[in-house]
Amino acid sequence: MQLDILSPEKRVFSGKVYGILLPGREGSFEMLEHHAPLIAALGKGKLKVIKEKNNNSAANFETYEISGGFVEMLSNKASVLVEDAKQI
């Protein structure tokens, strides 16, 4: 799926990924390729990008600390809008 992580200042991440783990306001949740359409509010926490299926090496993941925002999933494209994101 295509993933775009955007803050008001810049494009934090853009690329093809297998899935993402997100800090929802009511708890963490995961979205994988071809997830059903969804809009959800995000809380403060860690957002984990999973680049490839069945690859558990450290290079397969990117982690960001976010301060909250929203995610929209539509037509195998996830757009994550955040106030601030720092790669950790």
Side-chain angles (χ1 to χ4, degrees):
M1 76 179 162
Q2 175 66 33
L3 171 63
D4 292 310
I5 303 173
L6 308 165
S7 76
E9 293 83 31
K10 64 181 179 176
R11 182 181 304 266
V12 177
F13 179 92
S14 182
K16 298 281 187 190
V17 300
Y18 173 66
I20 49 178
L21 181 62
L22 300 150
R25 291 232 173 133
E26 300 295 323
S28 296
F29 64 99
E30 186 174 51
M31 295 192 320
L32 302 176
E33 292 179 314
H34 307 290
H35 193 285
L38 170 81
I39 294 177
L42 302 175
K44 183 177 180 180
K46 293 180 182 173
L47 181 156
K48 191 174 197 177
V49 177
I50 307 164
K51 295 180 182 176
E52 297 175 9
K53 185 178 181 178
N54 298 328
N55 182 348
N56 289 326
S57 70
N60 191 44
F61 303 98
E62 284 187 27
T63 305
Y64 297 87
E65 186 71 34
I66 66 168
S67 59
F70 294 90
V71 60
E72 176 189 47
M73 179 68 161
L74 186 62
S75 300
N76 208 36
K77 179 179 180 186
S79 299
V80 180
L81 309 174
V82 295
E83 286 294 320
D84 188 36
K86 295 180 183 161
Q87 188 171 6
I88 54 175

